[in-house]
Amino acid sequence: MHPERLTHLYRSYGPAIYARCRLLLMDDGAAEDATQETFLRVWRHLERVPDAREALYWIYRVATNYCLNEIRDRRMRDLPAEKLPEVAEAGGAAETRIVDRDLARRLIDRARANLRVVAWLYHVDGFEQEEVASVVGISRRTVVNRLADFRTGAQKFLRRSVG
């Protein structure tokens, strides 16, 4: 193993990976744990980590998968009221965004595993299809197909929930 490569990757990408984990998990402690777990996985598979910018995409995908699994695993727990985000905007815009984000999380959480990361990157993070393809390591056409599958599943779920 090359501990200096791991150190370089952590110094280069650790803050970005922590920010990603923090965004997904909405908890500083959980984000720290997720960042550590991500780089532990990087260390275990160091020989598979690509070079240059591709390394960031690879590590980003590892962190995203880990965090989405964590969200899935803890979805049954209720969030204590003291941890709810502050509502600073007038007119309910913040409440609407919180509800929309919660719905997106629940829909993505119910999606098949191969659709979750693609749906999150595209619908929540706002990545373009080409960017999603690059991060996940699949073709743009596959991204389009997976997004279509996700939409179909989400629409079915929503129709069942309303009906």
Side-chain angles (χ1 to χ4, degrees), residues 24-39:
L24 291 170
L25 299 172
M26 296 188 296
D27 178 270
D28 292 338
E32 288 172 13
D33 292 344
T35 301
Q36 287 179 353
E37 181 61 32
T38 296
F39 280 96

Side-chain angles (χ1 to χ4, degrees), residues 107-119 145-146 149-150 152-153:
L107 289 171
I108 290 169
D109 190 39
R110 284 177 167 70
R112 290 190 329 258
N114 68 329
L115 306 180
R116 278 191 221 125
V117 173
V118 170
N145 290 337
R146 288 185 183 178
D149 288 349
F150 172 75
T152 300

Side-chain angles (χ1 to χ4, degrees), residues 67-163:
C67 290
L68 290 177
N69 286 334
E70 283 296 300
I71 291 166
R72 182 197 65 219
D73 293 345
R74 68 181 192 189
R75 76 178 169 202
M76 296 312 236
R77 287 185 284 173
D78 290 328
L79 192 60
E82 64 270 8
K83 289 195 171 191
L84 289 175
E86 292 287 324
V87 178
E89 298 177 53
E95 290 106 335
T96 301
R97 269 204 305 280
I98 290 168
V99 169
D100 289 348
R101 187 173 177 95
D102 182 56
L103 176 60
R105 282 178 182 265
R106 286 188 286 141
L107 289 171
I108 290 169
D109 190 39
R110 284 177 167 70
R112 290 190 329 258
N114 68 329
L115 306 180
R116 278 191 221 125
V117 173
V118 170
W120 188 277
L121 292 171
Y122 184 78
H123 291 293
V124 177
D125 288 341
F127 281 32
E128 297 294 325
Q129 292 173 352
E130 284 293 330
E131 294 171 312
V132 173
S134 182
V135 168
V136 178
I138 58 178
S139 71
R140 182 182 168 280
R141 186 78 211 135
T142 301
V143 169
V144 169
N145 290 337
R146 288 185 183 178
L147 289 173
D149 288 349
F150 172 75
R151 268 189 295 281
T152 300
Q155 288 168 344
K156 286 179 184 176
F157 173 76
L158 291 171
R159 278 194 298 272
R160 281 193 313 258
S161 296
V162 172

